[in-house]
Amino acid sequence: VDKSMFRMWILYEGCPFKTYQVTIGAPAKETPIAKFVMGGENPNPAWWPPPDVKISGKAPVPYGDPQNPLGKWWISLEHDIHHGIGIHGTNDPGSIGSKASNGCVRMLNEEVVEVAALAFKGMIVTVVE
């Protein structure tokens, strides 16, 4: 993931295979520059909002609820320091290509479905400035 270009590349044997435009963390919630390991994948995910995000009702927010920003898939990114970061779809396609997430990498729903099909547990995901 290249934050400066709002792009994510899928590499095959070190060569770019496919690219996607993405949303990254808002200025106060920057997407961390780090090397992550892909964890699990979850279709139609519920959302547990971070403590600083106020919602009406109780958490978790179910898939399909307008307050749930996760879209069709959640792909967890594991790291020793940075927690709660993932790659996911969105219920706000107009935000793609901007700094608008809570730190995650946000994609169009139809594209995150492709990524979920290509990705695997243990895959390295690198975020650069």
Side-chain angles (χ1 to χ4, degrees):
V1 177
D2 186 322
K3 290 173 43 172
S4 68
M5 297 179 74
F6 300 96
R7 303 295 297 177
M8 181 175 78
W9 282 269
I10 303 291
L11 305 179
Y12 177 73
E13 294 185 359
C15 296
F17 168 72
K18 184 101 186 207
T19 185
Y20 303 93
Q21 188 172 26
V22 298
T23 296
I24 59 172
K29 300 175 181 186
E30 293 285 334
T31 302
I33 297 168
K35 187 176 285 190
F36 295 89
V37 175
M38 196 189 115
E41 299 178 335
N42 186 9
N44 305 329
W47 178 55
W48 282 261
D52 63 325
V53 175
K54 302 300 177 210
I55 60 165
S56 63
K58 289 182 145 185
V61 180
Y63 171 74
D65 185 300
Q67 294 182 101
N68 180 336
L70 298 185
K72 290 203 171 277
W73 276 89
W74 168 262
I75 302 168
S76 70
L77 299 179
E78 298 174 354
H79 192 275
D80 289 342
I81 297 170
H82 308 292
H83 303 283
I85 302 294
I87 299 169
H88 62 80
T90 183
N91 65 355
D92 182 12
S95 71
I96 299 297
S98 70
K99 294 181 178 184
S101 79
N102 285 310
C104 291
V105 177
R106 190 185 289 177
M107 305 179 66
L108 293 173
N109 283 321
E110 57 272 17
E111 294 180 344
V112 78
V113 169
E114 288 180 11
V115 172
L118 293 169
F120 56 89
K121 189 171 181 132
M123 178 184 242
I124 301 300
V125 177
T126 305
V127 178
V128 299
E129 192 61 53

